[in-house]
Structure formats: C-alpha cells, structure tokens
C-alpha cells in the first residue's frame, strides 16, 4: 500500500508561500498516485495497460520523492521553480517516448506535468 506523506515533510516550510505551493503539489501528486494505483488494480487483466500505468506511476512517485527531498533540504522559491521545470521536462520527455503506444500512461504523465507547471507558475516571482 502507498504511504501518506508524513507531516514532517509537509510542514518544513509551510509558512513560506513557496512551501505552501510545493505542499499543495505534493498533495496533488499523492492523489495522482492513488488514481494510477486504482487504475492498475481495475485494469489488472490487461497486462499491457498495467505496464503502461506502472511506468507513469513510477515517474509520479519519483517526482513526489524529489519534491520531498527538496523541501527538506533547500526550500526557496527561485530554486523551486528550477526544480519544478526540470521535473516537468523529464516527465514530458518520458511522455513523448511513450506516445502514442501507451496512451493511458501519457494521460497520467500529462496530469503530473500539469501539477508541476501549475505549481511553478504559482510560485512568487523574485524581484
């Protein structure tokens, strides 16, 4: 079973606007991971679809872990934007490699990219 994000990782910079945005992105990624896990369970009879969703699930999990490590190490709006952009780029590259053969995974990866881009665009702008 998937573990819920711990309170420690979500409260490390929660008073900072960038931290609140990253915390929201973590929660959105948790929901996406749950959605993909449910899809894998429901489609368990179709091995191709399951493998496709496992690929997307692995990417979403990796993105979530990268954000958690970042929030514990070096939280700042400027570097957060760079990290979010890098993670979105990596996820997009994977999505492009999988398209069109693995459409379900591409849909899931698009949702992950949307979460990352929304978070990046919501970060406070540095003067």
């Amino acid at each position: 079973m998937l573990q819920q994000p711990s309170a420690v990782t979500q409260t490390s910079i929660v008073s900072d606007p960038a931290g609140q945005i990253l915390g929201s992105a973590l929660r959105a990624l948790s929901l996406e991971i749950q959605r993909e896990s449910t899809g894998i369970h429901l489609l368990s009879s179709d091995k191709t679809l399951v493998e496709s969703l496992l690929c997307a699930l692995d990417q979403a999990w990796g993105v979530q872990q990268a954000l958690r490590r970042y929030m514990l190490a070096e939280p700042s709006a400027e570097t957060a934007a760079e990290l979010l952009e890098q993670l979105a780029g990596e996820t997009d590259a994977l999505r492009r490699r999988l398209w069109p053969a693995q459409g379900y995974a591409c849909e899931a990866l698009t949702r992950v990219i949307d979460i990352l881009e929304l978070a990046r665009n919501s970060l406070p702008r540095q003067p």
Side-chain angles (χ1 to χ4, degrees), residues 26 29 58-68 87-88 90-91 112 116:
L26 281 174
L29 287 167
D58 184 54
Q59 180 68 18
W61 183 259
V63 166
Q64 185 183 49
Q65 294 306 308
L67 284 178
R68 282 186 180 157
L87 293 171
E90 291 171 4
T91 304
V112 171
L116 295 170

Side-chain angles (χ1 to χ4, degrees), residues 99-114:
W99 181 257
Q102 298 184 13
Y104 283 114
C106 292
E107 289 176 17
L109 292 171
T110 297
R111 289 188 297 272
V112 171
I113 293 167
D114 289 347

Side-chain angles (χ1 to χ4, degrees), residues 21-42:
I21 291 165
L22 292 177
S24 293
L26 281 174
R27 287 187 295 279
L29 287 167
S30 292
L31 292 173
E32 181 56 33
I33 288 168
Q34 290 174 356
R35 177 186 174 125
E36 292 170 26
S37 297
T38 300
I40 289 168
H41 176 72
L42 293 174

Side-chain angles (χ1 to χ4, degrees), residues 7-79:
V8 173
T9 59
Q10 289 190 357
T11 60
S12 60
I13 57 172
V14 76
S15 62
D16 177 63
Q20 292 174 349
I21 291 165
L22 292 177
S24 293
L26 281 174
R27 287 187 295 279
L29 287 167
S30 292
L31 292 173
E32 181 56 33
I33 288 168
Q34 290 174 356
R35 177 186 174 125
E36 292 170 26
S37 297
T38 300
I40 289 168
H41 176 72
L42 293 174
L43 298 169
S44 60
S45 62
D46 189 332
K47 193 173 191 171
T48 303
L49 288 176
V50 168
E51 288 177 10
S52 174
L53 286 173
L54 281 172
C55 183
L57 179 64
D58 184 54
Q59 180 68 18
W61 183 259
V63 166
Q64 185 183 49
Q65 294 306 308
L67 284 178
R68 282 186 180 157
R69 283 190 305 270
Y70 173 80
M71 288 180 72
L72 289 172
E74 181 190 347
S76 77
E78 183 176 296
T79 55

